[in-house]
Amino acid sequence: MSLWKKTVYKSVCLSLALLVAVTVFQRNLTPHQFLQEPPPPTQEPQKAQNPSGHLVNPNSFWKNPKDVAAPTPMAPRGPQTWDVSTTNCSANLNLTHQPWFQGLEPHFRQFLTYRHCRYFPMLLNHPEKCRGTVYLLVVVKSVITQHDRREAIRQTWGLEQELGSRGAVRTLFLLGTASKQEERAHYQQLLAYEDRLYGDILQWDFLDSFFNLTLKEIHFLKWFDIYCPHVQFIFKGDDDVFVNPTNLLEFLADRQPQEDLFVGDVLQHARPIRKKDNKYYIPGVLYSKPSYPPYAGGGGFLMAGGLARRLHRACDTLELYPIDDVFLGMCLEVLSVQPTAHEGFKTFGISRNRNSRMNKEPCFFRSMLVVHKLLPAELLAMWGLVHGNLTCARKLQVL
Ligand SMILES: *[C@@H]1O[C@H](CO)[C@@H](O)[C@H](O)[C@H]1NC(C)=O
Ligand SMILES: *[C@@H]1O[C@H](CO)[C@@H](O)[C@H](O)[C@H]1NC(C)=O
Ligand SMILES: *[C@@H]1O[C@H](CO)[C@@H](O)[C@H](O)[C@H]1NC(C)=O
Ligand SMILES: *[C@@H]1O[C@H](CO)[C@@H](O)[C@H](O)[C@H]1NC(C)=O
């Protein structure tokens, strides 16, 4: 083949390949965009057609997201997308020379060494999750390995639903990365697959460890502030609790999203635990006051969307604290908001007696909002009992 022929041949092949690539790309994009559309407009067609201005602009398709001009700011809101794209977190070596630091247990040293690193990039995101009218966003703290818990929750209390004019109930799981380095690549692939099936996973690039739960808290609040400007209420909980969505919704029915609503299993004047063998042990150098501000157990609580957005800014003024629910109590204190205790939230245990009959009593679960600690099989079984032909002698009045 002559050189000239070769060149023509090459460019024809290249054009063909490009054409195919573009076609495939656009095909892929179309159903995806459909998925991201909100449900067909019912009452407010104008608003539904343009959900908070997030529609993909066809003209900006090839542009780098950073080149695309931001819409003219109507209200002083923060970034419109997750704006952290690199992990640039170096160890704070200032501490290593301090004698009090050297005396600490290794996990406290690790916590303090990276305490100043507050935000990490996103690995899995769902910017479309809050589009349309979302009444209640259910968010569940989970870790990669607990796939069976997420599966049980999707079939039970995490089931998404439409509440007519009130809007929708949507569910998301909040994750970091696998804590064991050698497991990471493998689990990451499984998680990406799970997310392709369900589209309900938010993942950030930080280690999923106990002390990093506070990071999960502030990452979610920042994410919510960016992507969910109109969501009315949030339920946030663990992946090993029983939740009764019917009761949650009944409870919320006469609440206003403008209220400073923060309801859960609230502890007043809880003392920091100073026994070293306890999971919640806190050394005096980390927290010296005799008691914590009031806070709700992280197993499950409800808050209003507006409060969550203010909470995001309040938390940003504080140094991170290793216990996530206590940290949230500290943020509430900045806002002078008192969390409200409610009998229906049992996140610190039901009865002092572990063998109490209440632990297995479906009538009890039916009358509660949140009950702590159930394994996936127990959750599925209890869900079946509570929603089956259950005759309870009397309805416990907790709502
Ligand atoms: C990370 O931060 C250091 C100092 O804080 C800076 O010198 C470096 O350029 C940063 N790297 C990246 C990739 O942003
Ligand atoms: C370490 O100390 C220096 C000087 O006091 C300060 O500028 C720097 O911000 C400190 N680093 C961290 C991570 O706190
Ligand atoms: C939290 O995650 C970051 C980023 O992965 C990691 O560097 C840090 O060690 C973790 N902290 C704890 C206490 O596990
Ligand atoms: C519930 O009760 C109805 C009528 O009493 C019966 O037909 C049905 O099979 C029962 N369902 C279950 C799950 O027991």
Side-chain angles (χ1 to χ4, degrees):
M1 235 190 275
S2 76
L3 186 68
W4 177 79
K5 268 189 181 164
K6 248 190 199 167
T7 317
V8 168
Y9 182 71
K10 253 192 197 165
S11 49
V12 166
C13 284
L14 215 92
S15 316
L16 261 174
L18 239 159
L19 197 74
V20 169
V22 167
T23 317
V24 168
F25 203 23
Q26 283 180 339
R27 283 243 175 97
N28 275 344
L29 199 72
T30 317
H32 192 57
Q33 275 179 335
F34 274 126
L35 279 180
Q36 295 194 349
E37 295 275 341
T42 43
Q43 289 169 314
E44 304 168 79
Q46 279 315 101
K47 201 174 151 204
Q49 266 173 10
N50 188 2
S52 58
H54 278 299
L55 274 185
V56 179
N57 177 357
N59 296 327
S60 61
F61 185 72
W62 293 107
K63 287 188 187 165
N64 187 315
K66 279 191 185 133
D67 301 338
V68 180
T72 36
M74 301 292 281
R77 272 190 65 208
Q80 302 282 293
T81 54
W82 191 260
D83 57 351
V84 184
S85 54
T86 56
T87 306
N88 192 7
C89 175
S90 45
N92 177 3
L93 300 175
N94 294 356
L95 295 166
T96 46
H97 310 295
Q98 321 262 356
W100 61 265
F101 179 80
Q102 287 159 8
L104 288 175
E105 292 71 16
H107 59 301
F108 282 106
R109 290 208 300 263
Q110 190 192 4
F111 169 75
L112 289 170
T113 307
Y114 295 100
R115 189 191 209 177
H116 58 286
C117 310
R118 292 184 78 105
Y119 293 109
F120 291 84
M122 288 199 86
L123 299 174
L124 296 171
N125 191 6
H126 287 282
E128 78 287 358
K129 201 69 187 188
C130 294
R131 287 189 194 158
T133 310
V134 177
Y135 179 70
L136 175 67
L137 184 66
V138 173
V139 289
V140 188
K141 291 179 278 180
S142 187
V143 299
I144 293 197
T145 46
Q146 304 285 13
H147 165 259
D148 53 344
R149 294 190 186 178
R150 291 191 290 280
E151 205 55 55
I153 290 170
R154 287 185 185 109
Q155 290 171 33
T156 57
W157 56 269
L159 201 65
E160 299 197 330
Q161 44 177 322
E162 309 295 331
L163 305 174
S165 61
R166 271 165 108 184
V169 178
R170 297 274 174 261
T171 301
L172 278 171
F173 295 92
L174 312 179
L175 285 89
T177 58
S179 43
K180 286 188 191 140
Q181 179 73 48
E182 59 275 18
E183 289 175 348
R184 203 164 299 162
H186 173 65
Y187 276 119
Q188 191 58 36
Q189 279 191 340
L190 287 176
L191 188 74
Y193 180 69
E194 183 183 335
D195 185 51
R196 236 174 297 142
L197 285 182
Y198 299 105
D200 60 4
I201 292 180
L202 299 185
Q203 190 193 21
W204 290 276
D205 194 9
F206 61 79
L207 221 65
D208 234 328
S209 64
F210 179 59
F211 278 0
N212 269 348
L213 281 174
T214 307
L215 282 183
K216 200 170 273 186
E217 199 74 62
I218 62 168
H219 279 73
F220 168 68
L221 288 174
K222 180 180 165 76
W223 184 90
F224 183 82
D225 191 37
I226 295 172
Y227 295 106
C228 305
H230 307 297
V231 169
Q232 304 201 10
F233 298 103
I234 299 169
F235 172 80
K236 187 157 184 291
D238 285 339
D239 61 2
D240 61 350
V241 295
F242 178 94
V243 181
N244 194 325
T246 313
N247 290 350
L248 280 186
L249 292 169
E250 191 178 327
F251 172 80
L252 286 175
D254 39 56
R255 304 285 152 161
Q256 296 304 318
Q258 308 76 273
E259 284 177 45
D260 278 341
L261 179 85
F262 195 103
V263 189
D265 201 349
V266 173
L267 288 186
Q268 301 278 353
H269 315 293
R271 294 169 173 278
I273 287 167
R274 306 298 191 191
K275 280 187 213 144
K276 286 201 175 183
D277 52 357
N278 191 295
K279 184 181 177 187
Y280 299 98
Y281 161 69
I282 291 293
V285 290
L286 215 64
Y287 192 85
S288 54
K289 293 185 204 162
S291 69
Y292 288 137
Y295 71 94
F301 59 86
L302 273 174
M303 63 179 154
L307 177 61
R309 286 179 273 275
R310 288 164 58 216
L311 212 51
H312 162 54
R313 275 153 237 152
C315 291
D316 269 355
T317 67
L318 298 176
E319 278 205 291
L320 298 183
Y321 193 71
I323 305 176
D324 64 336
D325 41 14
V326 174
F327 178 73
L328 220 48
M330 294 170 170
C331 303
L332 285 171
E333 194 181 37
V334 171
L335 295 175
S336 308
V337 171
Q338 284 283 329
T340 314
H342 190 292
E343 277 296 294
F345 292 76
K346 300 287 184 197
T347 61
F348 289 115
I350 297 161
S351 143
R352 270 165 215 278
N353 176 5
R354 267 172 171 266
N355 302 318
S356 160
R357 257 185 48 238
M358 291 234 264
N359 292 330
K360 301 235 166 64
E361 176 49 60
C363 287
F364 171 77
F365 281 77
R366 190 164 80 169
S367 63
M368 290 290 137
L369 286 86
V370 184
V371 186
H372 83 142
K373 295 274 184 240
L374 262 82
L375 294 173
E378 296 171 325
L379 170 60
L380 290 169
M382 186 56 79
W383 184 266
L385 289 173
V386 168
H387 294 88
N389 285 344
L390 189 61
T391 18
C392 299
R394 62 197 164 92
K395 194 177 184 211
L396 283 167
Q397 276 305 317
V398 289
L399 287 174

